[in-house]
Amino acid sequence: MALAVVTAPRAGVAQPTPAANPSGTAWQLVRFQGGDEKVRTPDDRSKYTIDFGPDGRLAVRFDCNRGAGGWKSTGTSQIEFGPLALTRAMCPRGSMHDQLVKHWPFVRSYVVRERHLFLSLMADGGIYEFEPRDAGTPVGAPAGTSVGTSAGTSAGTSVRFVCGTSEVTTRVTGDSIELTIGGKSFTLAQAKAASGARYVSPGPPEVSFWNKGKVATLTIGKTKYPECHRLDAD
């Protein structure tokens, strides 16, 4: 398969860069080329994204569903994804959602070539090609739109809240946040909201963090915390 030939040097052909830890990078889908050479392309690249967060966590968008999970590298250019906790909306006909969910456990290696990320399935099952997407831009939003709280938090900024007697730290990464409370960390994907910035993780446990300016609400599983207030919002 043409895209699979990425290690044999040839004159005039751009070679893949050495595989580096993908933590902190964000990508959107360009196309999928199967082992039978057939190609599928998304109707909207920004509807299929991967955001690699710190500590082996990631957030994804597969068309109408969002989710979170983990990844690990077992060797040079090797990568494996753990189970995904996805929302359960029914995507429209022609969506690549079901294909991505099916293929997700079978990704085994990756390379970066000409600033594009290539994820290869085991047994020559096919290759997914991704391109970088602007850091801090919500999926489907115009360029220059920052992800974060309605109080103006930008991507990469850590913000502390106090929810009753519990302190919460949030850090925006792409269209997701890393939320830490009581020594535990969760990756939450951005979700639709009538106002403010809302992030969710289907779990387990299910987590919801909804920030509206200087206040926020936090629910983890069956526990609903007291109203949260930003510590830097005096």
Side-chain angles (χ1 to χ4, degrees):
M1 182 163 58
L3 285 177
V5 182
V6 294
T7 58
R10 291 186 299 163
V13 177
Q15 299 303 312
T17 61
N21 189 315
S23 180
T25 60
W27 309 86
Q28 62 185 21
L29 181 62
V30 175
R31 68 173 186 164
F32 170 75
Q33 182 170 327
D36 57 2
E37 302 294 338
K38 292 183 179 180
V39 174
R40 288 194 69 183
T41 57
D43 61 330
D44 182 346
R45 296 181 179 183
S46 67
K47 288 163 58 176
Y48 301 88
T49 65
I50 304 177
D51 285 19
F52 289 92
D55 303 322
R57 303 297 298 171
L58 55 81
V60 303
R61 177 179 177 180
F62 293 166
D63 197 355
C64 64
N65 285 305
R66 299 175 186 269
W71 64 274
K72 65 180 181 179
S73 179
T74 56
T76 303
S77 297
Q78 301 301 303
I79 194 167
E80 293 184 26
F81 296 121
L84 279 176
L86 281 169
T87 54
R88 298 180 177 86
M90 183 67 71
C91 297
R93 185 175 181 179
S95 171
M96 294 180 68
H97 170 275
D98 291 350
Q99 175 181 308
L100 278 159
V101 171
K102 179 181 178 181
H103 285 168
W104 192 253
F106 302 108
V107 174
R108 287 295 181 271
S109 63
Y110 74 102
V111 295
V112 177
R113 182 177 60 193
E114 297 179 347
R115 297 187 69 245
H116 280 214
L117 171 70
F118 297 86
L119 298 178
S120 300
L121 303 179
M122 61 189 301
D124 294 325
I127 295 179
Y128 284 92
E129 178 183 351
F130 292 82
E131 66 182 2
R133 65 186 187 86
D134 293 337
T137 301
V139 174
T145 303
S146 294
V147 174
T149 69
S150 56
T153 302
S154 60
T157 302
S158 293
V159 178
R160 293 185 301 150
F161 292 82
V162 60
C163 309
T165 59
S166 300
E167 184 172 317
V168 176
T169 300
T170 64
R171 181 180 177 84
V172 177
T173 57
D175 65 339
S176 64
I177 63 168
E178 294 290 327
L179 184 149
T180 303
I181 179 172
K184 296 182 178 180
S185 295
F186 305 92
T187 300
L188 283 64
Q190 190 176 31
K192 291 183 178 180
S195 61
R198 179 170 172 259
Y199 299 89
V200 298
S201 172
E206 294 184 5
V207 182
S208 173
F209 184 78
W210 196 339
N211 179 210
K212 299 180 181 180
K214 299 178 182 180
V215 298
T217 58
L218 171 65
T219 302
I220 300 179
K222 296 181 179 180
T223 302
K224 184 174 183 179
Y225 288 78
E227 186 175 69
C228 306
H229 296 268
R230 282 183 59 162
L231 293 179
D232 61 346
D234 297 332

